[in-house]
Amino acid sequence: MGKLHDKTVKKLIKEKPSVRHADGNGLYLMTPKRGDAYWMLRYTTPATKLRREYTIGKVDDWSLADARDEAAKLRLAIKREGADPVQERQKVNQNPFKTLNDLYADYYELRKREIESHHKEKSLYEREVAWRIGKVELEKIRPVDISEILRDVANGYDDNKPRPTLSNDLMRLLRNLFDHGIKLDVTRFNPASPFRPRDAGGEEKAANYPMNEDEVTEFFTKLRVIPAQFSRENYLACALLIATCTRKMELLAAPWSEFDLENRIWYLPEERTKKRRAIDIPLAEPAVEWLNELKVRSCGSDWVFPARRISKKARTPHVCENTLNHALKKLFEKKLFSFDKRRVHDLRGTARRKLGKLGFDDNLAQRCLNQLPGNRTDRVYNKHAYFEERREAHEALCEWLAPIVRGDKVSSGE
């Protein structure tokens, strides 16, 4: 036990006979003539042997017992870890990242350089995290706070339906965000690190369901006869997604300036790809024909797929990312097709599957999808773009696809 007692502390604060009152082991009650009484720990730094004075807190906020406990923890850290509480507090005070929102703002700038879909992550953070714990100090966020968010999103809350996949996305986002904080030395631990999919939305199955040849034939045949429900622009977009093996917004947000139709090349820049890898995509003759038709339909726009409605509130000058999704979703809800629901992204998977059936090896097929095969050394040193080989693959793909898109009679290949 120390020298001080609770009654003694109250008496000393009231009388203020002197500024410093020792409790023992470096802990002092400070009773300045002006201002509030507070607890102070005196210690010697292990490395430099400097005498330091560290303010624990005001007596109104810290009882004698609490001050002793805190002083004991600090002394233990100083002895075992060589900690310097004064220096660490200075570092915290100089830290520009006080809250989770502060940290996310820096993390977002990093993600803008890394992935094309950074705006989706930002929207997810603002909808599900910022209003809950965004203004909380980093060191005060605990795993239970993360757990509550993940469970709410997975199970549904208020008027929101259960969204297990989104809960998993949120879990990965928070883990990466706090890892970023650790790298910057602004937080000591990652409260999201213990969580796995079973703690959020559950294990996910690979959501890739490519169509076989019969399904592709049925798909385009039925889409072709309902132009009022599925526009010609949407129809050609589906065909081009297979023909070019690209992702949805790589095509739908493409400006005409990226295309050299005369030489049949699409120069897709790195800033518009998911993995930040530029690629020159060879265009087969049918793909060029579809693009020429779209050029006429775009009526002089700078975009291959200009926004359908001209409005000051339009977020983008090209069609938004949900346009094609919603159009397909409505048709599958009406049971228009004999096969199960497919997503827009499954068109890319369909192209990958067909390239394999056409006899192209996995290495080349992956490169057609702008995926780099092999180990890290191969990715760094093997700079060969396989352009001519990819041109052959795209032409073979379109040789199969074009008759289906045109509506010619084709026989089943499966």
Side-chain angles (χ1 to χ4, degrees):
M1 295 293 291
K3 299 176 182 178
L4 300 176
H5 300 279
D6 288 331
K7 290 184 179 180
T8 308
V9 170
K10 292 180 181 179
K11 182 178 179 182
L12 291 172
I13 293 174
K14 184 177 181 179
E15 297 177 355
K16 296 186 177 181
S18 64
V19 175
R20 181 182 298 167
H21 313 281
D23 182 60
N25 293 322
L27 179 62
Y28 291 86
L29 168 66
M30 306 298 289
T31 56
K33 291 182 179 181
R34 294 182 180 180
D36 299 325
Y38 62 92
W39 301 105
M40 184 264 288
L41 176 68
R42 298 190 73 198
Y43 65 94
T44 302
T45 58
T48 59
K49 304 300 180 183
L50 296 175
R51 292 289 288 171
R52 300 272 204 185
E53 294 183 352
Y54 177 83
T55 300
I56 293 176
K58 295 180 180 180
V59 174
D60 290 344
D61 300 325
W62 294 75
S63 67
L64 175 58
D66 290 339
R68 284 172 176 168
D69 287 343
E70 182 66 13
K73 293 177 184 177
L74 292 169
R75 287 195 298 270
L76 187 62
I78 293 167
K79 181 178 179 180
R80 290 186 176 180
E81 303 170 15
D84 186 345
V86 170
Q87 192 175 56
E88 291 181 6
R89 175 170 286 176
Q90 290 174 347
K91 185 189 298 183
V92 170
N93 291 337
Q94 294 170 359
N95 171 24
F97 308 108
K98 305 294 184 185
T99 67
L100 188 61
N101 282 345
D102 296 334
L103 179 61
Y104 182 77
D106 187 77
Y107 176 75
Y108 176 66
E109 293 302 316
L110 176 67
R111 293 298 277 172
K112 282 202 297 187
R113 299 193 300 269
E114 289 182 340
I115 62 170
E116 191 273 337
S117 58
H118 56 85
H119 57 283
K120 293 183 180 179
E121 280 193 349
K122 183 179 182 182
S123 176
L124 178 59
Y125 176 83
E126 291 174 345
R127 291 197 321 269
E128 305 298 345
V129 181
W131 63 275
R132 296 173 183 250
I133 58 174
K135 296 182 180 179
V136 178
E137 294 179 16
L138 290 171
E139 296 299 331
K140 293 183 179 180
I141 298 175
R142 295 292 179 263
V144 65
D145 301 316
I146 307 299
S147 178
E148 289 177 357
I149 295 173
L150 297 181
R151 290 184 180 183
D152 278 351
V153 175
N155 300 328
Y157 65 95
D158 295 338
D159 295 330
N160 294 301
K161 297 179 180 179
R163 295 163 294 167
T165 301
L166 207 62
S167 181
N168 287 343
D169 292 340
L170 197 58
M171 173 198 67
R172 287 185 282 268
L173 169 60
L174 290 171
R175 279 165 51 183
N176 292 337
L177 176 57
F178 282 102
D179 278 345
H180 182 64
I182 292 174
K183 293 174 185 176
L184 296 178
D185 196 25
V186 297
T187 184
R188 296 181 180 180
F189 78 108
N190 185 337
S193 63
F195 295 92
R196 296 294 179 268
R198 65 175 177 272
D199 306 308
E203 296 293 338
E204 297 178 42
K205 295 181 180 180
N208 183 25
Y209 302 99
M211 291 183 280
N212 60 39
E213 293 188 8
D214 287 339
E215 290 169 342
V216 172
T217 302
E218 179 185 346
F219 180 76
F220 283 101
T221 299
K222 292 188 175 179
L223 290 182
R224 197 165 48 249
V225 298
I226 51 169
Q229 300 176 56
F230 201 79
S231 70
R232 178 65 177 175
E233 287 84 356
N234 286 345
Y235 185 82
L236 293 178
C238 292
L240 283 167
L241 285 171
I242 297 177
T244 60
C245 306
T246 49
R247 295 180 176 86
K248 178 182 65 178
M249 292 313 294
E250 291 173 349
L251 176 66
L252 297 186
W256 284 114
S257 59
E258 292 177 0
F259 292 85
D260 181 352
L261 297 182
E262 183 177 350
N263 293 307
R264 301 194 315 180
I265 301 175
W266 175 8
Y267 301 102
L268 182 58
E270 64 179 19
E271 61 268 18
R272 288 213 316 106
T273 64
K274 181 177 180 180
K275 297 298 184 179
R276 292 295 190 258
R277 287 194 292 264
I279 184 173
D280 296 342
I281 302 173
L283 299 171
E285 189 59 40
V288 173
E289 291 177 7
W290 300 330
L291 285 165
N292 277 323
E293 180 180 343
L294 286 168
K295 198 169 187 63
V296 174
R297 290 177 173 274
S298 66
C299 299
S301 172
D302 292 334
W303 307 93
V304 179
F305 295 92
R308 306 283 167 83
R309 296 178 182 177
I310 305 301
S311 169
K312 293 182 179 179
K313 296 182 179 179
R315 292 184 300 169
T316 61
H318 50 74
V319 294
C320 75
E321 60 183 358
N322 292 321
T323 298
L324 199 53
N325 298 42
H326 289 164
L328 276 182
K329 181 181 178 181
K330 289 180 180 179
L331 298 182
F332 277 102
E333 287 176 348
K334 294 178 179 179
K335 308 294 183 181
L336 182 68
F337 305 102
S338 64
F339 51 91
D340 294 335
K341 178 182 176 181
R342 295 296 196 277
R343 306 169 307 149
V344 175
H345 190 68
D346 293 325
L347 297 171
R348 178 174 158 91
T350 299
R352 173 65 181 86
R353 171 176 175 158
K354 185 59 182 179
L355 285 171
K357 285 188 170 292
L358 289 170
F360 296 98
D361 62 38
D362 289 343
N363 186 311
L364 184 61
Q366 284 182 268
R367 290 183 182 277
C368 287
L369 274 67
N370 200 16
Q371 297 172 341
L372 295 185
N375 55 36
R376 185 176 183 278
T377 301
D378 178 62
R379 295 177 186 180
V380 172
Y381 292 104
N382 191 350
K383 298 297 185 181
H384 182 32
Y386 291 86
F387 184 83
E388 293 303 325
E389 292 87 342
R390 287 190 291 113
R391 182 179 287 282
E392 182 183 347
H394 282 286
E395 287 179 349
L397 193 59
C398 278
E399 186 178 347
W400 157 74
L401 179 64
I404 299 175
V405 174
R406 289 196 302 265
D408 301 344
K409 184 178 180 180
V410 294
S411 59
S412 174
E414 297 187 355

